[in-house]
Amino acid sequence: MKMTMRWFGEGYDTVTLQQIRQVPGVEGVITTIYDAAPGEEWEEDAILSMKQKVEDAGLSLCGIESVNIHDAIKVGSRDRDFYIDNYIRTLEKLGKNDIHLVCYNFMPVFDWTRSDLAKVRPDGSTVFAYDQKIIDQIDPANMSEAMGEKNNGFLLPGWEPERMAHIQELFRMYEGIDEDRLFANLQFFLEAIMPVCDKYDINMAIHPDDPAWSVFGLARIMTSGENLVRLTKLVDNPHNGVTLCTGSLGSDPKNDIVDAIHALKGRIHFAHVRNIKYNGEGSFEEAAHLSSDGSLDMFEIMKALYETGFDGPIRPDHGRAIWGEISMPGYGLYDRALGITYLNGIWESLEKMIGRKK
Ligand code: DNO
């Protein structure tokens, strides 16, 4: 595996590349062109300068998170071909510039959803939390403002204000889009982009839905190990793979992450490894990475990745806000660095105990 950290780019991230470079064991970053709107074709110059900045700091650009998918592709409207062509051209430029991993999601309207961005834990740290009872009381039209209240003034990933301004329209677009339609539209998209992925050896890694169930009555499909496997079979090309996000898939306690890792062997192109703590039906909060702080067994998760030969980029995903750090919620330096050190420790133990070379 290659240990990485997500970096949102200059002007968007409080964490610098120089700081990331000093976290032991980190080889590279996962980044994006943060101000590119979903559906827009990326400029090659912007890709080049992003890559250059990362490499000048002594790091590798290990992948893109995300090249976001336009809603027209998700709902399968008549104009989807235009957006698919843009996507293909973006992939082409990434491939030509030696970038071989793209993370994306296929969630209707909202990307990841939380009811609280700064829940205070007993030790004074703050974390993301989700409680279905609270979400049920929120009018989705106001969701963006609800998320905006505690965002420390940052633009949250996946919550583009331009899209959120048209929320009613977005909801109308998804009327009648059930799980089967979403699967069919996702298959159509993947089949269209596989040739360019084959040509440039680009691994597509779909992110599970977060939380892993339907929110605001919108269909969600990347909600279980079975559905992720179903997608890999639907478009049976090794470049069609997944991001194994333990916190997203694990939001539903019915999902056995270790089983999912084994079932997806060879198709996990990227891993987000973090812990969450269940607080009852439909309710969880993010925890420190340490197994004993949450409900997931991080050792067993890392062991399953190790045993299945996972060799892609991995990142600690979110961290708690600790030690007074003010950053984009979930993406401070301190707790993610602690998480990395812990995950690296588990990996070193696995290597030494099981004895397989990296
Ligand atoms: C949140 C992230 C998501 C993720 C996208 C992938 O912190 O995990 O926004 O990047 O769903 O497209």
Side-chain angles (χ1 to χ4, degrees):
M1 60 98 167
K2 288 178 206 66
M3 185 54 78
T4 65
M5 255 175 115
R6 188 178 196 178
W7 183 63
F8 292 102
E10 251 161 28
Y12 293 106
D13 210 315
T14 51
V15 180
T16 65
L17 290 171
Q18 289 66 34
Q19 289 170 322
I20 294 176
R21 175 102 197 268
Q22 291 170 354
V23 181
V26 171
E27 291 179 41
V29 297
I30 300 293
T31 188
T32 188
I33 296 182
Y34 205 50
D35 50 9
E40 186 180 312
E41 179 184 340
W42 287 15
E43 301 284 341
E44 188 147 9
D45 285 355
I47 297 172
L48 272 169
S49 85
M50 161 177 81
K51 193 163 180 252
Q52 198 58 53
K53 264 187 209 125
V54 171
E55 290 174 357
D56 286 350
L59 292 159
S60 307
L61 203 169
C62 295
I64 302 295
E65 178 175 355
S66 312
V67 181
N68 282 316
I69 314 265
H70 194 274
D71 294 285
I73 300 176
K74 295 184 188 170
V75 301
S77 56
R78 262 176 287 143
D79 51 348
R80 72 171 152 188
D81 292 341
F82 169 79
Y83 293 106
I84 293 178
D85 286 347
N86 281 353
Y87 207 97
I88 289 174
R89 280 196 294 272
T90 298
L91 290 176
E92 210 158 36
K93 291 178 206 168
L94 291 172
K96 277 187 189 152
N97 287 290
D98 211 19
I99 297 170
H100 302 283
L101 170 73
V102 171
C103 172
Y104 69 105
N105 72 78
F106 217 72
M107 287 176 252
V109 186
F110 302 111
D111 193 323
W112 57 285
T113 308
R114 294 289 182 271
S115 52
D116 196 344
L117 297 179
K119 178 177 177 184
V120 184
R121 300 190 86 209
D123 63 3
S125 60
T126 63
V127 292
F128 287 161
Y130 185 95
D131 187 344
Q132 192 59 48
K133 288 192 217 62
I134 298 175
I135 294 289
D136 287 343
Q137 285 159 17
I138 296 177
D139 175 354
N142 301 327
M143 192 56 202
S144 187
E145 286 86 70
M147 293 284 277
E149 276 164 24
K150 287 188 179 171
N151 66 1
N152 297 344
F154 290 91
L155 182 60
L156 298 169
W159 287 79
E160 303 86 11
E162 306 77 31
R163 283 176 67 251
M164 292 300 127
H166 301 283
I167 190 93
Q168 317 275 13
E169 208 179 300
L170 282 171
F171 265 85
R172 270 194 301 277
M173 276 178 88
Y174 283 92
E175 273 167 21
I177 304 293
D178 59 12
E179 294 180 8
D180 287 342
R181 281 288 297 281
L182 267 185
F183 256 115
N185 294 341
L186 177 52
Q187 180 179 2
F188 184 93
F189 164 71
L190 285 169
E191 282 170 351
I193 64 165
M194 279 302 114
V196 75
C197 295
D198 289 339
K199 182 166 175 198
Y200 293 101
D201 189 23
I202 297 174
N203 283 332
M204 295 299 296
I206 194 163
H207 191 282
D209 301 341
D210 187 354
W213 55 81
S214 157
V215 174
F216 298 126
L218 296 159
R220 285 189 159 196
I221 51 176
M222 292 296 103
T223 50
S224 64
E226 295 75 47
N227 280 10
L228 291 170
V229 170
R230 178 176 161 195
L231 181 69
T232 59
K233 300 222 162 100
L234 215 49
V235 180
D236 202 3
N237 179 320
H239 291 121
N240 168 31
V242 308
T243 298
L244 194 281
C245 176
T246 60
S248 306
L249 209 54
S251 59
D252 183 346
K254 288 199 293 295
N255 285 332
D256 184 320
I257 297 166
V258 169
D259 277 359
I261 294 172
H262 284 281
L264 288 159
K265 183 175 175 178
R267 301 295 275 273
I268 299 177
H269 296 322
F270 184 25
H272 290 178
V273 182
R274 67 178 159 88
N275 202 356
I276 55 171
K277 186 171 181 294
Y278 300 130
N279 290 329
E281 179 80 26
S283 172
F284 61 87
E285 66 193 45
E286 301 195 359
H289 290 77
L290 198 71
S291 301
S292 59
D293 197 49
S295 306
L296 304 183
D297 188 327
M298 307 306 276
F299 176 77
E300 290 300 334
I301 288 169
M302 292 299 276
K303 183 162 167 271
L305 286 170
Y306 185 87
E307 285 172 343
T308 50
F310 173 71
D311 64 355
I314 183 172
R315 65 177 187 83
D317 206 9
H318 309 156
R320 303 162 303 147
I322 58 170
W323 303 338
E325 186 180 15
I326 304 287
S327 70
M328 184 175 313
Y331 286 97
L333 173 66
Y334 304 147
D335 201 42
R336 286 189 300 154
L338 291 177
I340 285 174
T341 297
Y342 171 66
L343 298 176
N344 277 338
I346 296 180
W347 199 260
E348 181 180 339
S349 307
L350 290 166
E351 279 178 338
K352 291 187 173 160
M353 286 173 71
I354 304 177
R356 182 173 65 77
K357 291 267 179 281
K358 258 197 250 181

